[in-house]
Amino acid sequence: MATGFPVKPLELVDVPWHNAVGGFRIADTTVVGAGTGWTFSSIPQTFKHLLLLWVASTTGTADDQVGLRINSVSTANYHHQQLQGLGTGASAGEGLLTTFGQVSFLPGSTGRTDAKYGSAGVVLFPGYSLAGSFPTWVSRSDFTKTASTGGSRAWLYGGALQSSAQAITTIQLFSGGGVNITPGSRATLYGLT
Amino acid sequence: MPHAGFPVADGDIVDYKWLNALGWRQVADVSPNGVASQLINLPAGDLYQGFACLWTARTSQATALDFLQWRWNGLSTAAYYMEALRGTGTATPASSESLAQTAARCGLAPGASAHNAADFGDGVIFWPFVRSVDGGYACYTAITAAFSNTTTGTGFVETYGGMYGSGGAMTSITFLFAGGGNFVSGSRFTLYGLT
């Protein structure tokens, strides 16, 4: 029996669905060939918030940043703050006046004990359509490089594009080092009503 | 652009099972402006397993940053408990706790002393398995980020866990700033019921 909603099985309801259903998938893209990331453009401005889920790994040898750009802006106006858990220690880091934001890292093949190890994360863009504020995001992500102590990391990220106030219409998620993402990596963008 | 991924159109009649399948349902979407608190009444009855709120906000107070707080049913009794973990600049992460407070900290928002009027804070708060008819404690978990300038140490991320420890049925959630400032235009809270 389905619970949690006040109608009976097989009962038909008229759905004021813009408000009723919470979220919609805007785009879902899996990497199938050579490519350094994803671009979500022409994002509808009809939602309240955006949610981006991703899982990825890198073809490169070195650990690589997962970069984020808003509206294709590449001027040095991005600011990010991170909180990292690594093994049994914690640290904080920041990026000031950079040309792209950051939401995570991908584990490179050097020292990676299993090619299946990668990273995953969720990025939220609350109030993304507000034209009077700087675009911002808050994100949680993790990566695993080995199955031993110190082989995994967890992050909380926040970031902003502090060039000019603008609504978010394009989101790019990509390898900060310009290295190809492994085929099978996937990113899905949702709009929350 | 059509809403890809959901195969119905505006005005369609659909079987209710869609609604249970979809997980999140918007309860309220409010944009406070020029007020010191924002009340969101919850629907009566056993509709949801819990709640989530995505928000963006800024305070009118003359401060670089202030704490966003929430209250259960508007109550200001000293029964809110919170643990926080903060990252800023390259400083060693700091944890802190607040015991028996009159509201629970759940976010960071820039104020009038931030470097630009377009600085806003944002975040998400979850109250899992807090139903309107249950009573009991209201546990929550949240993440937030805010930036008040472009210089080192002016960006912050925080994660929280805590609860309201006096029980009772949950009928409303109120948001307010610790420093008493007003919400600035552009602030927005969207509350979702989790089915």
Side-chain angles (χ1 to χ4, degrees), chain B residues 70-81:
Chain B
W70 71 274
R71 280 185 179 146
W72 161 291
N73 297 351
L75 296 174
S76 58
T77 49
Y80 297 87
Y81 297 80

Side-chain angles (χ1 to χ4, degrees), chain A residues 23-70:
Chain A
F24 296 91
R25 189 180 69 207
I26 297 172
D28 177 36
T29 306
T30 301
V31 174
V32 293
T36 57
W38 299 267
T39 297
F40 300 98
S41 58
S42 303
I43 297 171
Q45 299 297 294
T46 50
F47 301 107
K48 310 296 188 301
H49 315 282
L50 296 177
L51 186 156
L52 176 63
L53 281 169
W54 62 271
V55 59
S57 56
T58 176
T59 62
T61 56
D63 295 348
D64 191 13
Q65 304 168 68
V66 179
L68 181 75
R69 277 199 177 116
I70 306 292

Side-chain angles (χ1 to χ4, degrees), chain B residues 81-99:
Chain B
Y81 297 80
M82 181 280 304
E83 177 73 28
L85 180 61
R86 163 180 286 192
T88 181
T90 56
T92 301
S95 61
S96 62
E97 64 181 1
S98 295
L99 307 176

Side-chain angles (χ1 to χ4, degrees), chain B residues 84-182:
Chain B
L85 180 61
R86 163 180 286 192
T88 181
T90 56
T92 301
S95 61
S96 62
E97 64 181 1
S98 295
L99 307 176
Q101 298 296 299
T102 57
R105 187 166 126 200
C106 59
L108 290 163
S113 303
H115 89 301
N116 193 296
D119 287 318
F120 277 66
D122 57 31
V124 61
I125 310 157
F126 290 96
W127 295 267
F129 305 109
V130 174
R131 300 193 292 179
S132 12
V133 297
D134 272 350
Y137 294 160
C139 295
Y140 76 104
T141 182
I143 56 175
T144 184
F147 298 81
S148 62
N149 210 318
T150 60
T151 53
T152 186
T154 58
F156 294 81
V157 291
E158 290 194 344
T159 181
Y160 310 97
M163 68 173 186
Y164 173 68
S166 275
M170 189 173 188
T171 59
S172 71
I173 295 170
T174 301
F175 294 101
L176 67 162
F177 290 113
N182 289 340

Side-chain angles (χ1 to χ4, degrees), chain A residues 66-174:
Chain A
V66 179
L68 181 75
R69 277 199 177 116
I70 306 292
N71 297 346
S72 303
V73 174
S74 58
T75 55
N77 291 111
Y78 290 88
H79 186 174
H80 74 260
Q81 177 66 48
Q82 66 164 237
L83 180 62
Q84 173 181 269
L86 168 60
T88 57
S91 62
E94 65 183 351
L96 304 171
L97 301 175
T98 54
T99 57
F100 57 84
Q102 187 174 314
V103 296
S104 191
F105 279 88
L106 302 176
S109 61
T110 301
R112 191 176 63 199
T113 56
D114 190 321
K116 293 192 295 293
Y117 290 159
S119 302
V122 56
V123 191
L124 295 168
F125 302 89
Y128 75 104
S129 61
L130 178 63
S133 70
F134 292 140
T136 56
W137 66 89
V138 61
S139 159
R140 272 281 292 112
S141 61
D142 306 271
F143 97 169
T144 298
K145 193 160 191 173
T146 73
S148 54
T149 296
S152 295
R153 304 188 200 186
W155 290 281
L156 172 61
Y157 272 91
L161 168 58
Q162 295 172 303
S163 56
S164 61
Q166 56 194 298
I168 296 175
T169 58
T170 297
I171 295 170
Q172 294 166 283
L173 189 72
F174 58 95

